[in-house]
Amino acid sequence: MLDVFCQISSLPLGYSHPDLMAVVTDPKNASVSAARPALVFFPNMDYPEKLEKLVESVAPKGLKHMQTMMCGACANEFALKQSFIRYRHRERGGLPTEEDLASAKYNQAPGTTNYAVLSFEGGFHGRTYACLSLTHSKAIHKVDIPAENWPFAPFPRLKYPLKEFETENRAEENRCLAKVREIIDERKQAGGPVAAVIVEPIQAEGGDFHATPYFFRNLQQICKETGAAFIVDEVQTCCGATGNLWAHEAWDLPEAPDFVTFSKKLISGGYFFKKEFEPKLGLRIANTWMGDPSKVLLMEAVVDVVKRDRLLELTRESGAHLQAGLEDIQNKYPQHLHSTRGAATFCAINTTDSALLPKLAANMRDKGVLVGTCGTNTLRFRPALIFQPHHADIVLDTLESAVKEL
Amino acid sequence: MLDVFCQISSLPLGYSHPDLMAVVTDPKNASVSAARPALVFFPNMDYPEKLEKLVESVAPKGLKHMQTMMCGACANEFALKQSFIRYRHRERGGLPTEEDLASAKYNQAPGTTNYAVLSFEGGFHGRTYACLSLTHSKAIHKVDIPAENWPFAPFPRLKYPLKEFETENRAEENRCLAKVREIIDERKQAGGPVAAVIVEPIQAEGGDFHATPYFFRNLQQICKETGAAFIVDEVQTCCGATGNLWAHEAWDLPEAPDFVTFSKKLISGGYFFKKEFEPKLGLRIANTWMGDPSKVLLMEAVVDVVKRDRLLELTRESGAHLQAGLEDIQNKYPQHLHSTRGAATFCAINTTDSALLPKLAANMRDKGVLVGTCGTNTLRFRPALIFQPHHADIVLDTLESAVKEL
């Protein structure tokens, strides 16, 4: 079986990679697993230095502060909290008052705020309560569960091939950006301001929807103008599959995002943030474990292997080969396939009919290639970073053979 | 250093316990750490059987369904979701309609409900959004962050020694129970019914507040009558420190709680639930990792050691010794200490003045005993389950010597 879904895009280096096996079996790494520290109060003596080195090696350009967490949802939940704290700090012009503290304990104003977070239609940010309120991919995730009445804007729905639809796509992105600005203005006037905007570089669970750097640069600019934190959710896009360690590197932003959240292929969950978002008081961003040092050991090893083995270069090469092959196949079978798109190996193709999707995925699986699906009619490819062009050939041959059987 | 705080009550067997070190260094356990499965879709072939055995060994009486999660907050978040789903299923008399699904995707009624969860003043249930809305221990955890407008009731504030205040304490518990019933009735009439009640067996972070079995039996009864799920948050009380594997065993309930959540000493987070709360459709309780098999391996080992080494019996013996000693010390120093209370080693003592607390804890630490604090004036003891009577003697000698220096 060739797995190009890789545990829902969460295996960076495939199965039983020798470097990760070495970390896991090294006796000197055993004690943090056998007696896990409560990092909030009791990190090991050498832990801060260790984290500093890791941050230096992996942080997105312009970001120097990292908070580890357990998973992607957790990372988003706590990035939101830091956004609220910072928004309120600026609004109030200082630290919480006695009245803020007394009322917050009982979920009352003024200590409890009525801030909103803006998300996007089709987005996915996790399954915990706040994250779920920001998630609009599949209704079955949400139905029957209460939610925050937070606003959402449309996310661009680009037409492919991009070169043919430049004008339409630009208009589509401008439409979405205008809606973002409109919502933020409305909420501000209504007294429940948008304290943060959260966005995926590629809407993965929702159906592999992409937007151009133009869209994200303008989105960041709107956040800057309105004071909303700009949170880039890289839980699925982090760690190289798009050809960059961080997908947002492709946007050429004038400055770093305010937050970049991660998990999955980086093994540890967590987020990077700008220093100005660091809370001024202790215990505001806290829980018992605050991540897991045993996962951080694996995160370090993954990043080292990606650099040592030049896996970003490999992923770009394999991705180009895979995407070119997908285009060839869609050109041969336009009655079944269209809209090949992607960044390096983080790529996808649509079926013309959503009923074809499960059949196609099952055909491929039966022929030995495990692929993922997302949205309503999208086949998504999420190979590990060790995926080579000859693996792409296997995927392409299998896809073509599976399409023929539709 | 004798650690009787144990990483905020999260170390079941102290540091470097040979059985846990053996699990962590066993090469046959390496692959689930080096290539973590996405349990939602791809559990290892032998995993269901493994979980069944674990459930048999550790489940609270009357519960046979377990869902693993990453941490305690996560466990509570997902237990809440199952409560909402079940409440709505019963209210609607069946599965979600097309209209429910279409509206839920956009956080709108009828698919998005306006259900509430009732919590208790002084309670602590975690730091993610929904959990934080249910947490009322320290304002600094909550201030500036939006919250659900969910109701909370007073939790009994018992007077000690219990034997002297039986009448007053019963009246106090009845007052709290009456308030619970009143809130549930009010919310139902207002059209935002209480779908779940969440409670800790001992309010730990809030200040080690206990209630009697009478209180919990009646609370369960109110839940039964009103249709609210009865969620017992055993994140801090699970796994033996109260002298039972589950603290709620001491209540002699006529039937199991609807949910029992856990984490900390059990290493894996998760929850047990009644079959009737199992969602009827797939993907409703889901995320990528759904817990961590490497933590489940440790959870198994912990439970095996607790049984093999008769650690519940030891904990009861050591706890009785520790509590008797604490009472002796409070009787000698009533100007500084009062209200010794606890279940086995899960015990606490108050300082007469909150300003004494940090001094006392620091004095003890400087003398080689690490204790925890909670609430405003409570010294809490959270030793590991290997804590023996002679360890209790060290704690008591150190406490007395530290008190003398106040």
Side-chain angles (χ1 to χ4, degrees), chain A residues 7 37-38 42 70 77 81 84 88 92 101 104-107 111 113 121 127 129 133 136-137 139 142-144 146 148 152 263-264 283-284 286 288 292 295, chain B residues 7 37-38 42 70 77 81 88 92 101 104-107 111 113 121 127 129 133 136-137 139 142-144 146 148 152 264 283-284 286 288-289 292 295:
Chain A
Q7 307 294 327
F42 308 106
M70 307 275 285
E77 291 262 345
K81 287 176 26 163
F84 296 137
R88 184 77 180 122
R92 184 174 45 218
L101 290 164
K105 199 164 167 185
Y106 303 109
N107 301 5
T113 59
E121 205 172 333
R127 300 289 210 113
Y129 197 86
S133 287
H136 312 281
S137 53
K142 293 169 67 80
V143 65
D144 300 343
E148 281 294 337
F152 57 92
S263 184
K264 291 200 181 253
L283 289 180
R284 306 201 67 177
T288 297
D292 184 339
K295 304 300 184 197
Chain B
Q7 307 294 328
F42 308 106
M70 306 274 285
E77 290 263 345
K81 286 174 32 162
R88 184 75 181 124
R92 183 174 46 216
L101 290 165
K105 199 164 166 186
Y106 304 109
N107 300 6
T113 59
E121 205 172 333
R127 302 286 212 114
Y129 197 86
S133 287
H136 311 280
S137 53
K142 293 169 66 79
V143 65
D144 300 342
E148 281 294 334
F152 57 91
K264 290 196 180 259
L283 289 181
R284 305 200 68 177
T288 297
W289 283 326
D292 184 340
K295 305 298 184 197

Coordinates of all heavy atoms in Angstrom, one line a residue, chain A residues 7 37-38 42 70 77 81 84 88 92 101 104-107 111 113 121 127 129 133 136-137 139 142-144 146 148 152 263-264 283-284 286 288 292 295, chain B residues 7 37-38 42 70 77 81 88 92 101 104-107 111 113 121 127 129 133 136-137 139 142-144 146 148 152 264 283-284 286 288-289 292 295:
Chain A
Q7 N -2.3 9.4 7.5 CA -2.9 9.7 8.8 C -3.5 11.1 8.8 O -3.2 11.9 9.7 CB -1.9 9.4 9.9 CG -1.3 8.0 9.9 CD -2.3 6.9 10.1 OE1 -3.3 7.0 10.9 NE2 -2.0 5.7 9.5
P37 N 6.4 16.2 32.6 CA 6.3 17.4 33.4 C 5.1 18.3 33.1 O 4.6 18.3 32.0 CB 7.6 18.1 33.0 CG 8.0 17.6 31.7 CD 7.4 16.2 31.6
A38 N 4.6 18.9 34.2 CA 3.6 19.9 34.0 C 4.3 21.2 33.6 O 4.7 22.0 34.4 CB 2.8 20.1 35.3
F42 N 6.7 23.4 35.9 CA 7.9 22.6 36.2 C 8.6 22.1 34.9 O 8.8 20.9 34.8 CB 7.5 21.4 37.1 CG 6.7 21.8 38.3 CD1 5.4 21.5 38.4 CD2 7.4 22.4 39.4 CE1 4.7 21.9 39.5 CE2 6.7 22.7 40.5 CZ 5.3 22.5 40.6
M70 N -1.1 20.8 22.8 CA -1.2 19.3 22.5 C -1.6 19.0 21.1 O -1.3 18.0 20.6 CB -2.3 18.8 23.5 CG -2.1 19.1 24.9 SD -1.0 17.9 25.6 CE -2.2 16.5 25.7
E77 N -7.4 27.5 19.9 CA -8.1 28.0 21.1 C -7.2 29.0 21.9 O -7.7 30.0 22.3 CB -8.5 26.8 22.0 CG -9.5 25.9 21.5 CD -10.9 26.2 22.0 OE1 -11.1 26.9 23.0 OE2 -11.9 25.7 21.4
K81 N -7.4 33.1 22.5 CA -7.3 33.8 23.8 C -6.3 34.9 23.9 O -6.6 36.0 24.4 CB -7.1 32.7 24.9 CG -8.3 31.8 25.1 CD -8.2 30.7 26.1 CE -7.2 30.8 27.2 NZ -7.5 29.8 28.3
F84 N -7.7 37.9 22.2 CA -8.7 38.6 23.0 C -8.0 39.5 24.0 O -8.4 40.7 24.2 CB -9.7 37.7 23.7 CG -10.5 36.8 22.7 CD1 -10.7 35.5 23.0 CD2 -11.2 37.4 21.6 CE1 -11.5 34.7 22.2 CE2 -12.0 36.6 20.8 CZ -12.1 35.2 21.1
R88 N -8.2 43.6 24.2 CA -8.8 44.3 25.3 C -7.8 45.2 26.0 O -8.1 46.3 26.5 CB -9.3 43.2 26.3 CG -10.0 43.8 27.5 CD -11.4 44.3 27.2 NE -12.1 44.8 28.4 CZ -12.5 46.1 28.5 NH1 -12.5 46.9 27.4 NH2 -13.1 46.5 29.6
R92 N -8.5 49.0 26.5 CA -8.6 49.5 27.9 C -7.4 50.4 28.2 O -7.5 51.2 29.1 CB -8.7 48.4 28.9 CG -8.9 48.7 30.3 CD -9.0 47.4 31.1 NE -8.0 46.4 30.7 CZ -8.3 45.1 30.6 NH1 -9.4 44.6 30.9 NH2 -7.3 44.3 30.2
L101 N -11.8 41.8 36.9 CA -11.5 40.5 37.4 C -12.7 39.9 38.2 O -13.1 38.8 38.0 CB -10.3 40.6 38.4 CG -9.0 40.8 37.7 CD1 -7.9 41.3 38.7 CD2 -8.5 39.6 37.0
A104 N -15.4 38.9 35.5 CA -15.0 37.8 34.6 C -15.2 36.4 35.3 O -15.5 35.5 34.6 CB -13.5 38.0 34.2
K105 N -15.0 36.4 36.6 CA -15.1 35.1 37.3 C -16.5 34.5 37.0 O -16.7 33.3 37.1 CB -14.8 35.3 38.7 CG -14.5 34.0 39.5 CD -13.8 34.4 40.8 CE -13.8 33.1 41.7 NZ -13.3 33.5 43.0
Y106 N -17.5 35.4 36.8 CA -18.9 34.9 36.6 C -19.4 35.2 35.2 O -20.6 35.3 35.0 CB -19.7 35.6 37.7 CG -19.2 35.3 39.1 CD1 -18.6 36.3 39.9 CD2 -19.2 34.0 39.6 CE1 -18.0 35.9 41.1 CE2 -18.7 33.7 40.8 CZ -18.1 34.6 41.6 OH -17.5 34.3 42.8
N107 N -18.5 35.2 34.3 CA -18.8 35.4 32.8 C -19.6 36.7 32.6 O -20.5 36.7 31.7 CB -19.7 34.2 32.3 CG -18.9 32.9 32.4 OD1 -17.8 32.8 33.0 ND2 -19.5 31.8 31.9
G111 N -15.6 42.3 32.6 CA -14.4 41.4 32.5 C -14.6 40.4 31.4 O -13.6 40.0 30.8
T113 N -15.7 39.8 27.8 CA -15.9 40.6 26.6 C -16.9 39.9 25.6 O -17.2 38.8 25.8 CB -14.5 40.8 25.9 OG1 -14.0 39.6 25.5 CG2 -13.6 41.6 26.7
E121 N -16.2 30.8 5.2 CA -17.1 29.7 4.8 C -16.2 28.6 4.2 O -15.2 28.9 3.4 CB -18.0 30.2 3.6 CG -19.2 29.5 3.5 CD -20.2 30.1 2.5 OE1 -20.2 31.3 2.4 OE2 -21.0 29.3 2.0
R127 N -12.3 20.9 16.5 CA -13.6 20.4 17.0 C -13.9 20.8 18.4 O -14.9 20.3 18.9 CB -13.5 18.8 16.9 CG -13.3 18.3 15.5 CD -14.5 18.5 14.6 NE -14.6 17.4 13.6 CZ -15.6 16.5 13.6 NH1 -16.5 16.5 14.5 NH2 -15.5 15.6 12.7
Y129 N -14.9 23.7 21.2 CA -16.1 24.6 21.1 C -15.8 25.9 20.3 O -16.5 26.2 19.3 CB -16.6 25.0 22.5 CG -17.9 25.6 22.6 CD1 -19.1 24.7 22.6 CD2 -18.1 26.9 22.5 CE1 -20.3 25.3 22.7 CE2 -19.4 27.5 22.6 CZ -20.5 26.6 22.6 OH -21.7 27.2 22.7
S133 N -17.0 26.7 16.4 CA -17.8 27.8 16.0 C -17.2 28.5 14.7 O -17.9 29.2 14.0 CB -17.9 28.9 17.1 OG -18.7 28.4 18.1
H136 N -16.7 25.7 9.2 CA -17.9 25.7 8.3 C -17.7 24.7 7.1 O -17.9 25.1 6.0 CB -18.2 27.1 7.8 CG -18.2 28.1 8.9 ND1 -19.3 28.3 9.7 CD2 -17.3 29.0 9.3 CE1 -19.0 29.3 10.6 NE2 -17.8 29.7 10.3
S137 N -17.1 23.6 7.4 CA -16.9 22.6 6.3 C -18.0 21.6 6.2 O -18.7 21.6 5.2 CB -15.5 22.0 6.5 OG -15.4 21.4 7.7
A139 N -21.5 20.0 8.0 CA -22.6 20.2 9.0 C -22.6 19.1 10.0 O -22.9 19.4 11.2 CB -23.9 20.3 8.3
K142 N -21.2 19.8 13.4 CA -21.7 21.0 14.1 C -23.1 20.8 14.6 O -23.5 21.4 15.6 CB -21.6 22.2 13.3 CG -20.2 22.7 13.0 CD -20.2 23.8 11.9 CE -20.8 25.1 12.3 NZ -19.9 25.9 13.1
V143 N -23.9 20.0 13.9 CA -25.3 20.0 14.2 C -25.6 19.6 15.6 O -25.0 18.7 16.2 CB -26.0 19.2 13.2 CG1 -25.7 17.7 13.3 CG2 -27.6 19.4 13.3
D144 N -26.6 20.3 16.2 CA -27.1 20.1 17.6 C -26.2 20.8 18.7 O -26.6 20.8 19.9 CB -27.2 18.6 18.0 CG -28.2 17.9 17.0 OD1 -29.0 18.5 16.3 OD2 -28.1 16.6 17.0
P146 N -24.4 24.0 20.5 CA -24.5 25.4 20.5 C -23.2 26.0 19.9 O -22.2 25.3 19.8 CB -24.5 25.8 22.0 CG -24.7 24.5 22.7 CD -24.4 23.4 21.8
E148 N -20.9 30.0 19.2 CA -20.8 31.4 19.2 C -21.4 32.0 17.9 O -21.1 31.5 16.9 CB -19.3 31.9 19.4 CG -18.8 31.7 20.8 CD -19.5 32.7 21.8 OE1 -20.1 33.7 21.4 OE2 -19.5 32.4 23.0
F152 N -18.8 35.0 9.5 CA -17.9 34.4 8.6 C -18.0 35.1 7.2 O -19.1 35.6 6.9 CB -18.1 32.9 8.5 CG -19.5 32.5 8.1 CD1 -19.8 32.4 6.8 CD2 -20.5 32.4 9.1 CE1 -21.1 32.0 6.4 CE2 -21.8 32.1 8.7 CZ -22.1 31.9 7.4
S263 N 0.4 21.9 14.0 CA 0.2 20.6 14.6 C 0.6 19.6 13.6 O 1.5 19.8 12.8 CB -1.2 20.4 15.2 OG -1.3 19.2 15.9
K264 N -0.2 18.4 13.6 CA 0.0 17.4 12.5 C 1.5 17.0 12.3 O 2.1 16.4 13.1 CB -0.8 17.8 11.3 CG -2.3 17.8 11.5 CD -3.0 17.7 10.2 CE -4.6 17.7 10.4 NZ -5.1 16.4 10.1
L283 N 0.0 33.2 34.0 CA -1.2 32.3 34.2 C -2.4 32.6 33.3 O -3.4 32.0 33.5 CB -1.6 32.3 35.7 CG -0.7 31.6 36.6 CD1 -1.2 31.7 38.1 CD2 -0.4 30.2 36.2
R284 N -2.2 33.5 32.3 CA -3.3 33.8 31.5 C -3.4 32.7 30.4 O -4.5 32.3 29.9 CB -3.2 35.2 30.9 CG -3.0 36.2 32.0 CD -3.4 37.6 31.5 NE -4.8 37.6 31.3 CZ -5.5 38.7 30.9 NH1 -4.8 39.9 30.8 NH2 -6.8 38.7 30.6
A286 N -2.3 29.2 30.1 CA -1.8 28.2 30.9 C -2.7 27.0 31.0 O -3.9 27.1 30.8 CB -1.6 28.7 32.4
T288 N -2.2 22.5 32.6 CA -1.2 21.7 33.3 C 0.0 21.3 32.4 O 1.1 21.6 32.7 CB -1.9 20.4 33.7 OG1 -2.9 20.7 34.7 CG2 -0.9 19.4 34.4
D292 N 3.8 18.8 25.1 CA 4.4 17.5 25.6 C 5.8 17.4 25.1 O 6.1 17.4 23.9 CB 3.5 16.4 24.9 CG 3.9 15.0 25.4 OD1 5.1 14.8 25.9 OD2 3.1 14.1 25.2
K295 N 6.8 15.0 22.5 CA 6.4 15.3 21.1 C 7.4 16.4 20.5 O 7.7 16.4 19.3 CB 5.0 15.9 21.0 CG 3.9 15.0 21.5 CD 3.8 13.6 20.8 CE 2.7 12.8 21.3 NZ 2.8 11.4 21.0
Chain B
Q7 N 3.6 17.3 39.8 CA 3.3 17.9 38.5 C 1.7 18.1 38.4 O 1.0 17.7 37.5 CB 3.7 16.9 37.3 CG 5.2 16.5 37.4 CD 6.1 17.7 37.1 OE1 5.8 18.6 36.4 NE2 7.3 17.6 37.8
P37 N -0.9 7.0 14.7 CA -2.1 6.8 13.9 C -3.2 7.9 14.1 O -3.3 8.4 15.2 CB -2.6 5.5 14.3 CG -2.1 5.3 15.7 CD -0.8 6.0 15.8
A38 N -3.9 8.3 13.1 CA -5.0 9.1 13.2 C -6.2 8.2 13.6 O -6.8 7.6 12.7 CB -5.3 9.8 11.9
F42 N -7.9 5.4 11.3 CA -6.9 4.3 11.0 C -6.3 3.7 12.3 O -5.1 3.7 12.5 CB -5.7 4.9 10.2 CG -6.2 5.6 8.9 CD1 -6.2 7.0 8.8 CD2 -6.6 4.8 7.9 CE1 -6.6 7.6 7.6 CE2 -7.1 5.4 6.7 CZ -7.0 6.8 6.6
M70 N -7.0 13.8 24.2 CA -5.6 14.2 24.5 C -5.4 14.7 25.9 O -4.3 14.5 26.5 CB -5.2 15.3 23.6 CG -5.4 15.0 22.1 SD -4.1 14.2 21.5 CE -2.9 15.6 21.3
E77 N -14.7 18.9 26.8 CA -15.3 19.5 25.6 C -16.1 18.5 24.8 O -17.2 18.7 24.3 CB -14.2 20.1 24.7 CG -13.5 21.3 25.2 CD -14.0 22.6 24.6 OE1 -14.8 22.6 23.6 OE2 -13.7 23.6 25.2
K81 N -20.2 17.8 24.1 CA -20.8 17.7 22.7 C -21.7 16.5 22.7 O -22.8 16.6 22.1 CB -19.7 17.6 21.7 CG -19.1 19.0 21.4 CD -17.8 19.0 20.5 CE -17.8 18.0 19.4 NZ -16.8 18.4 18.4
R88 N -30.6 16.9 22.1 CA -31.4 17.3 20.9 C -32.0 16.1 20.3 O -33.1 16.2 19.7 CB -30.4 18.0 20.0 CG -31.0 18.5 18.7 CD -31.8 19.8 19.0 NE -32.4 20.3 17.8 CZ -33.7 20.6 17.7 NH1 -34.5 20.4 18.7 NH2 -34.2 21.0 16.5
R92 N -35.9 16.2 19.6 CA -36.4 16.2 18.3 C -37.1 14.8 18.0 O -37.9 14.7 17.0 CB -35.3 16.4 17.3 CG -35.6 16.5 15.9 CD -34.3 16.9 15.1 NE -33.2 16.1 15.6 CZ -31.9 16.5 15.7 NH1 -31.6 17.7 15.3 NH2 -31.0 15.7 16.2
L101 N -29.1 20.4 9.4 CA -27.8 20.3 8.9 C -27.4 21.6 8.1 O -26.4 22.2 8.3 CB -27.7 19.1 7.9 CG -27.7 17.8 8.6 CD1 -27.9 16.6 7.7 CD2 -26.4 17.5 9.4
A104 N -26.9 24.5 10.7 CA -25.8 24.3 11.6 C -24.5 24.7 11.0 O -23.6 25.2 11.7 CB -25.7 22.8 12.1
K105 N -24.4 24.5 9.7 CA -23.1 24.8 9.1 C -22.8 26.3 9.2 O -21.6 26.7 9.2 CB -23.2 24.5 7.6 CG -21.9 24.3 6.9 CD -22.1 23.6 5.5 CE -20.8 23.7 4.7 NZ -21.0 23.2 3.4
Y106 N -23.8 27.1 9.4 CA -23.6 28.6 9.6 C -24.0 29.1 11.0 O -24.3 30.2 11.1 CB -24.4 29.3 8.5 CG -23.9 28.8 7.1 CD1 -24.8 28.0 6.3 CD2 -22.6 29.0 6.7 CE1 -24.3 27.5 5.1 CE2 -22.2 28.5 5.4 CZ -23.0 27.8 4.7 OH -22.6 27.3 3.5
N107 N -23.9 28.2 12.0 CA -24.1 28.5 13.4 C -25.5 29.1 13.6 O -25.7 30.0 14.5 CB -23.1 29.6 13.9 CG -21.7 29.1 13.8 OD1 -21.4 28.0 13.3 ND2 -20.8 29.8 14.3
G111 N -30.4 24.1 13.6 CA -29.3 23.2 13.7 C -28.4 23.5 14.8 O -27.9 22.6 15.5
T113 N -28.0 24.8 18.4 CA -29.0 24.9 19.6 C -28.5 26.0 20.5 O -27.4 26.5 20.4 CB -29.0 23.5 20.4 OG1 -27.6 23.2 20.8 CG2 -29.5 22.4 19.5
E121 N -19.9 27.4 41.2 CA -19.0 28.4 41.6 C -17.7 27.7 42.2 O -17.9 26.8 43.0 CB -19.7 29.2 42.7 CG -19.2 30.6 42.8 CD -20.0 31.5 43.7 OE1 -21.2 31.3 43.9 OE2 -19.4 32.4 44.3
R127 N -9.2 25.0 30.2 CA -8.9 26.3 29.7 C -9.3 26.5 28.3 O -9.0 27.6 27.8 CB -7.4 26.5 29.9 CG -6.8 26.4 31.3 CD -7.3 27.6 32.1 NE -6.2 27.9 33.1 CZ -5.5 29.0 33.1 NH1 -5.7 30.0 32.3 NH2 -4.6 29.2 34.1
Y129 N -12.3 27.0 25.4 CA -13.3 28.0 25.4 C -14.6 27.5 26.2 O -15.0 28.2 27.2 CB -13.8 28.3 24.0 CG -14.6 29.6 23.9 CD1 -14.0 30.8 23.8 CD2 -16.0 29.5 23.9 CE1 -14.7 32.0 23.7 CE2 -16.7 30.7 23.8 CZ -16.1 31.9 23.7 OH -16.8 33.0 23.6
S133 N -15.7 28.6 30.1 CA -17.0 29.2 30.4 C -17.6 28.5 31.7 O -18.4 29.1 32.4 CB -18.0 29.1 29.3 OG -17.7 29.9 28.2
H136 N -14.9 28.7 37.3 CA -15.1 29.8 38.1 C -14.1 29.8 39.3 O -14.6 30.0 40.5 CB -16.5 29.9 38.6 CG -17.5 29.7 37.5 ND1 -17.9 30.7 36.6 CD2 -18.2 28.7 37.1 CE1 -18.8 30.3 35.8 NE2 -19.0 29.0 36.0
S137 N -12.9 29.5 39.1 CA -12.0 29.4 40.2 C -11.1 30.7 40.4 O -11.3 31.4 41.3 CB -11.1 28.2 40.1 OG -10.4 28.1 38.9
A139 N -10.1 34.4 38.5 CA -10.5 35.4 37.5 C -9.4 35.6 36.4 O -9.7 35.8 35.2 CB -10.8 36.7 38.1
K142 N -9.7 33.9 33.1 CA -10.9 34.2 32.3 C -11.0 35.6 31.8 O -11.7 35.9 30.8 CB -12.2 33.9 33.2 CG -12.4 32.5 33.5 CD -13.5 32.3 34.6 CE -14.9 32.7 34.1 NZ -15.5 31.7 33.3
V143 N -10.4 36.6 32.5 CA -10.6 38.0 32.2 C -10.2 38.3 30.7 O -9.2 37.8 30.2 CB -9.9 38.9 33.2 CG1 -8.4 38.8 33.2 CG2 -10.4 40.3 33.1
D144 N -11.1 39.1 30.1 CA -10.9 39.6 28.7 C -11.4 38.7 27.7 O -11.5 39.0 26.5 CB -9.5 40.0 28.4 CG -8.9 41.1 29.3 OD1 -9.7 41.8 30.0 OD2 -7.7 41.3 29.4
P146 N -14.2 36.3 25.9 CA -15.6 36.1 25.8 C -16.0 34.7 26.4 O -15.2 33.8 26.6 CB -15.9 36.1 24.3 CG -14.7 36.5 23.6 CD -13.6 36.3 24.5
E148 N -19.5 31.8 27.1 CA -21.0 31.5 27.0 C -21.7 32.0 28.3 O -21.1 31.8 29.4 CB -21.1 30.0 26.9 CG -20.9 29.4 25.5 CD -21.9 29.9 24.5 OE1 -23.0 30.2 24.8 OE2 -21.5 30.0 23.3
F152 N -24.4 29.1 36.7 CA -23.6 28.3 37.7 C -24.4 28.4 39.0 O -25.0 29.4 39.3 CB -22.2 28.8 37.8 CG -22.1 30.3 38.1 CD1 -22.0 30.7 39.5 CD2 -22.1 31.2 37.2 CE1 -22.0 32.0 39.8 CE2 -22.1 32.6 37.5 CZ -22.0 33.0 38.8
K264 N -4.8 13.5 33.6 CA -3.7 13.6 34.6 C -3.1 12.2 35.0 O -2.4 11.6 34.2 CB -4.3 14.3 35.8 CG -4.5 15.8 35.6 CD -4.7 16.6 36.9 CE -4.9 18.0 36.6 NZ -3.7 18.9 36.9
L283 N -18.8 10.4 12.7 CA -18.1 11.6 12.5 C -18.6 12.8 13.4 O -18.2 13.9 13.2 CB -18.1 12.1 11.1 CG -17.2 11.2 10.2 CD1 -17.3 11.7 8.7 CD2 -15.8 11.2 10.6
R284 N -19.4 12.5 14.4 CA -19.9 13.6 15.2 C -19.0 13.8 16.3 O -18.8 15.0 16.7 CB -21.3 13.2 15.8 CG -22.3 12.9 14.6 CD -23.7 13.0 15.0 NE -24.0 14.4 15.3 CZ -25.2 14.9 15.6 NH1 -26.2 14.0 15.7 NH2 -25.4 16.1 15.8
A286 N -15.3 13.4 16.7 CA -14.2 13.0 15.9 C -13.2 14.1 15.9 O -13.5 15.3 16.0 CB -14.6 12.7 14.5
T288 N -8.6 14.4 14.4 CA -7.6 13.5 13.8 C -7.1 12.5 14.7 O -7.1 11.3 14.4 CB -6.4 14.4 13.3 OG1 -6.9 15.3 12.3 CG2 -5.3 13.6 12.7
W289 N -6.6 12.9 15.9 CA -5.9 11.9 16.7 C -6.7 11.2 17.7 O -6.4 10.0 18.1 CB -4.7 12.7 17.4 CG -3.6 12.9 16.5 CD1 -3.1 12.1 15.5 CD2 -2.7 14.0 16.5 NE1 -2.0 12.7 14.9 CE2 -1.7 13.8 15.5 CE3 -2.6 15.2 17.3 CZ2 -0.7 14.7 15.2 CZ3 -1.5 16.1 17.0 CH2 -0.6 15.9 16.0
D292 N -4.1 9.3 22.1 CA -2.7 9.0 21.7 C -2.4 7.6 22.2 O -2.3 7.3 23.4 CB -1.8 10.0 22.3 CG -0.3 9.8 21.9 OD1 0.0 8.7 21.5 OD2 0.4 10.8 22.1
K295 N 0.1 7.1 24.9 CA -0.4 7.4 26.3 C -1.3 6.3 26.8 O -1.3 6.0 28.0 CB -1.2 8.7 26.3 CG -0.4 9.9 25.8 CD 0.8 10.3 26.5 CE 1.5 11.5 26.0 NZ 2.9 11.7 26.4

